[in-house]
Amino acid sequence: MRKAAFSKKMLSVLLAGSMVVGSTSMLTGCGTKKKNGVIKLDVYSQLANTQGMQTGWGADVLKEKFNVELNIIPDADGVYQTRAQNGNLGDIVIWGSDSKDYVDAVQNDLLLDWNEDDLLTDCGPYIKKHMADALKKNSGLTKTITNGAKDTTYGIAHSVATNSKNHDAFFYTWDTRWDLYKKLGYPKIKDLDAFKNMLIKMHDICPKDDNGNPTYAVSLWSDWDDGMVMYIKSTVTAYYGYDEMGIGLYDPQTGKFHDALEENGPYLQMLKFYNDLYRAGLVDPDSMTQTYDQMSAKVKSGGVLFSIFNYSGSLGYNTDAHLKAGKYMYCMKPEEAKPIVYGMNTQGGDRITTIGAKTEYPDLCMEIINYFATPEGFMTYKYGPKGETWDYDKDHNTYFTELGKKTHADGKTKMEKHKGSFQDGQIQAAFDTWANDADNPDSNGETYNCDNWKSNITTPEYKIQQDWVDKTGCKNLNEYMEKGGNYVVAPATSYSASAKDDELKTTWKQVTTSIKENSWNAIYAKTDAEFNKFVQKMKKDTAAYGYDECLKWCENEAATRRSLEKALSN
């Protein structure tokens, strides 16, 4: 029986009897919500980047709707093991892409079955009605654990699509200083060599940023590195259309797996590309030690000429001040680049939101997760409070308010009715329920992606923006990327990374640490000989740690993924 919440039977008994005057609780759709005494819920999240109480507008929304406060507990070495040994992971538990801890938690009864006592039916009606495929996928993940003895559902995946016909928005956008490209006379950029030469010439035109500091072609950051250096493998994905997989890259067109140390393989090729840029004085020397936030500040001041991603490029650089001055950063990819774009999947991705078995408030946890799966909840999660930062017009077209335009352009914009900035209040629990390009049923045929709202598809306001439109013949980024079909769609399947045993996890950590450290050293190499020295050291050290074991795991994963992709076309 669910703890602490009113079941249907208990509710009927209460309603049949006398109501207590001055009660400190009021009944909600499936449980209780206390008027006095805010409920604090612990959210253990393997995706969280911050620790402590949710603040700002996000905290205000949660308190107003559920009278709760969220205490965010991020993952770190030993955190899962400690909490698992105590038998209490938290009230809401959000898992990253590595499924081993999730499977372990199910095996050790650390998570609540959503089918128990009709929890999902009573408190998660929107999820049950609109995310059936994602729920079915989750049931399948744990069927072998329960030996199929009962139909169990422990959570819901992230980025669920409303249909599987389309692909997500383009993620690798090749944002480049278009105003400098214009000054160069719009040269034809065929491949990486031509792109590098273009960046060298751009730097000659613009050697200083807005504050008089040196500019660089690119500014990297290391705090997002995982199995490899994130920016290196991402450039492979943006150029060849290969998808990251463990210690290498997977080609969704052929099923071939390219490991990070493959001779003349894509990872080492791109590592050399960035070393060449560094030796030309075009890579920010702070790249290995700086954080994402420190890099972002440089983008905003015009210190960066190029970015693989829009969030570390145009979204930070294209302020009104820059645009009025005729300065613009937008998509300009080499002709041979074939960036990957991800197919949409009604089963969702491989990050799972669950409820801890020891929570005292299962109904409340389920209500909160369900809310962020509703259109209003997901829009609030992405863009802020309805009516303050976004809303619908009389025809149900979505639009940003004046404040919303500012918060979307700059997360550090102060909120008007809440403490702190928009960024301060962003909900840290990673309730990433729907795919960005999933249909929003509350709108007039629009998706959750603001780039495609009718209100945001307008005639360019500034001459430099119109110049991009005139030269490319495209209205927006998606049209530009679709033009010519030079991109790779990664089919959406039910693939989820297999669990690694404890021995492999130890080996994996040693191998990936060596890959990252030696990759950074290779980027900063002053000569070809020094670059080759670090590459050989990477190969030697990882071989000693057990690289072949990690490679075998990746190759098995690639084979599994390929078989699922083939099944889609049969």
Side-chain angles (χ1 to χ4, degrees):
M1 179 177 178
R2 302 203 301 267
K3 296 174 291 183
F6 287 107
S7 67
K8 290 178 180 177
K9 187 177 293 184
M10 293 168 66
L11 179 58
S12 63
V13 170
L14 280 174
L15 293 176
S18 60
M19 299 299 292
V20 180
V21 178
S23 170
T24 59
S25 299
M26 64 179 180
L27 299 177
T28 63
C30 74
T32 62
K33 180 180 177 183
K34 294 184 178 180
K35 284 183 178 178
N36 299 323
V38 178
I39 296 171
K40 186 180 83 169
L41 298 180
D42 287 337
V43 179
Y44 165 56
S45 173
Q46 295 187 335
L47 302 171
N49 293 316
T50 61
Q51 180 172 346
M53 302 303 296
Q54 173 68 48
T55 61
W57 65 264
D60 294 344
V61 167
L62 288 160
K63 187 172 183 181
E64 177 187 351
K65 290 189 173 295
F66 303 103
N67 208 29
V68 301
E69 295 177 340
L70 299 186
N71 177 39
I72 310 299
I73 304 166
D75 196 33
D77 287 345
V79 171
Y80 170 73
Q81 288 76 11
T82 299
R83 299 187 73 82
Q85 287 173 4
N86 292 336
N88 188 354
L89 294 177
D91 297 290
I92 296 174
V93 184
I94 301 173
W95 306 91
S97 299
D98 188 341
S99 61
K100 183 182 185 305
D101 288 344
Y102 168 69
V103 171
D104 178 77
V106 172
Q107 289 174 327
N108 289 286
D109 298 322
L110 296 175
L111 300 176
L112 201 64
D113 176 11
W114 289 11
N115 295 334
E116 186 177 319
D117 291 329
D118 294 327
L119 176 63
L120 180 64
T121 300
D122 293 348
C123 304
Y126 197 88
I127 290 175
K128 184 171 183 179
K129 182 176 180 180
H130 297 279
M131 294 180 161
D133 286 353
L135 292 169
K136 183 178 179 181
K137 174 186 175 181
N138 184 270
S139 297
L141 287 175
T142 52
K143 190 162 287 186
T144 55
I145 299 173
T146 61
N147 296 317
K150 61 176 182 174
D151 184 20
T152 57
T153 302
Y154 291 94
I156 195 76
H158 85 301
S159 294
V160 176
T162 43
N163 67 72
S164 298
K165 297 178 182 178
N166 301 321
H167 60 69
D168 276 337
F170 286 91
F171 187 70
Y172 299 95
T173 53
W174 291 89
D175 281 8
T176 310
R177 279 285 297 276
W178 182 263
D179 56 303
L180 300 179
Y181 179 67
K182 178 183 177 182
K183 287 182 178 180
L184 292 175
Y186 312 104
K188 182 177 180 179
I189 307 298
K190 182 180 179 181
D191 53 24
L192 284 175
D193 284 339
F195 197 79
K196 177 184 71 175
N197 291 333
M198 177 197 71
L199 291 173
I200 291 172
K201 293 175 182 177
M202 283 185 173
H203 185 259
D204 290 340
I205 297 173
C206 183
K208 300 290 183 181
D209 70 3
D210 301 343
N211 302 318
N213 297 316
T215 59
Y216 298 97
V218 66
S219 185
L220 317 182
W221 63 99
S222 61
D223 49 339
W224 291 10
D225 291 351
D226 187 16
M228 301 167 282
V229 172
M230 183 279 293
Y231 213 95
I232 304 300
K233 63 90 180 172
S234 292
T235 310
V236 173
T237 303
Y239 193 77
Y240 292 107
Y242 301 162
D243 200 13
E244 176 189 10
M245 179 174 277
I247 54 168
L249 295 120
Y250 172 83
D251 182 354
Q253 294 182 301
T254 65
K256 180 175 175 58
F257 178 74
H258 298 272
D259 70 282
L261 303 186
E262 178 184 318
E263 195 70 29
N264 297 317
Y267 183 79
L268 293 183
Q269 284 181 20
M270 209 57 72
L271 193 64
K272 187 64 173 67
F273 172 72
Y274 280 98
N275 174 241
D276 288 345
L277 288 180
Y278 174 77
R279 286 159 62 183
L282 297 179
V283 174
D284 183 353
D286 295 333
S287 292
M288 184 168 63
T289 55
Q290 71 184 351
T291 64
Y292 173 78
D293 287 341
Q294 290 170 322
M295 176 280 304
S296 293
K298 295 176 181 179
V299 172
K300 291 174 183 177
S301 65
V304 180
L305 307 180
F306 155 69
S307 173
I308 284 296
F309 312 105
N310 60 3
Y311 60 77
S312 58
S314 59
L315 293 182
Y317 181 76
N318 292 339
T319 61
D320 284 340
H322 282 145
L323 293 170
K324 286 177 182 177
K327 299 177 180 180
Y328 189 39
M329 181 176 269
Y330 211 49
C331 182
M332 207 299 294
K333 75 176 184 67
E335 292 176 7
E336 291 188 357
K338 298 190 297 183
I340 206 169
V341 62
Y342 296 98
M344 297 174 68
N345 192 343
T346 56
Q347 295 180 326
D350 53 5
R351 301 170 184 172
I352 306 171
T353 300
T354 61
I355 298 173
K358 291 293 182 67
T359 182
E360 295 182 17
Y361 306 100
D363 289 9
L364 189 54
C365 292
M366 189 75 252
E367 282 186 285
I368 292 170
I369 298 169
N370 184 75
Y371 170 71
F372 286 108
T374 65
E376 180 184 319
F378 189 59
M379 285 288 292
T380 299
Y381 171 76
K382 284 178 65 66
Y383 302 117
K386 182 181 180 183
E388 295 181 43
T389 52
W390 65 274
D391 215 325
Y392 303 108
D393 65 19
K394 60 183 179 61
D395 296 319
H396 292 278
N397 295 313
T398 325
Y399 68 91
F400 281 127
T401 64
E402 287 305 310
L403 175 62
K405 291 176 183 177
K406 295 175 183 177
T407 58
H408 183 65
D410 183 359
K412 293 184 178 179
T413 301
K414 297 293 183 183
M415 295 293 284
E416 295 173 352
K417 299 180 180 180
H418 312 274
K419 290 183 179 178
S421 67
F422 178 83
Q423 185 175 290
D424 294 334
Q426 282 185 294
I427 294 169
Q428 298 299 309
F431 292 121
D432 206 8
T433 50
W434 289 106
N436 191 38
D437 286 274
D439 297 325
N440 176 1
D442 282 2
S443 71
N444 184 15
E446 296 181 321
T447 69
Y448 294 112
N449 186 347
C450 65
D451 290 343
N452 298 320
W453 296 348
K454 297 179 183 69
S455 61
N456 286 338
I457 302 176
T458 58
T459 302
E461 184 177 353
Y462 298 96
K463 289 182 179 180
I464 190 65
Q465 292 175 308
Q466 185 64 50
D467 185 76
W468 184 91
V469 171
D470 294 341
K471 194 65 182 177
T472 63
C474 301
K475 294 191 296 290
N476 55 34
L477 168 68
N478 279 341
E479 187 175 319
Y480 173 85
M481 299 295 274
E482 293 275 3
K483 192 176 182 179
N486 203 25
Y487 58 90
V488 175
V489 177
T493 69
S494 60
Y495 169 75
S496 183
S498 302
K500 303 180 187 75
D501 60 34
D502 290 339
E503 183 176 350
L504 180 57
K505 288 182 78 172
T506 300
T507 301
W508 189 272
K509 185 173 182 179
Q510 292 174 315
V511 166
T512 55
T513 297
S514 177
I515 290 174
K516 288 179 286 189
E517 289 179 350
N518 284 293
S519 291
W520 277 110
N521 287 333
I523 291 172
Y524 284 95
K526 294 180 175 61
T527 64
D528 284 346
E530 189 178 2
F531 177 87
N532 292 330
K533 182 186 76 172
F534 285 118
V535 170
Q536 292 307 313
K537 185 176 188 302
M538 191 188 330
K539 292 181 176 181
K540 181 181 178 181
D541 291 351
T542 56
Y545 291 136
Y547 184 81
D548 286 347
E549 298 168 41
C550 299
L551 177 58
K552 183 179 179 180
W553 182 87
C554 289
E555 290 173 337
N556 288 335
E557 292 298 297
T560 299
R561 177 170 172 175
R562 187 61 174 169
S563 66
L564 292 170
E565 290 170 348
K566 285 184 176 180
L568 288 177
S569 59
N570 292 336

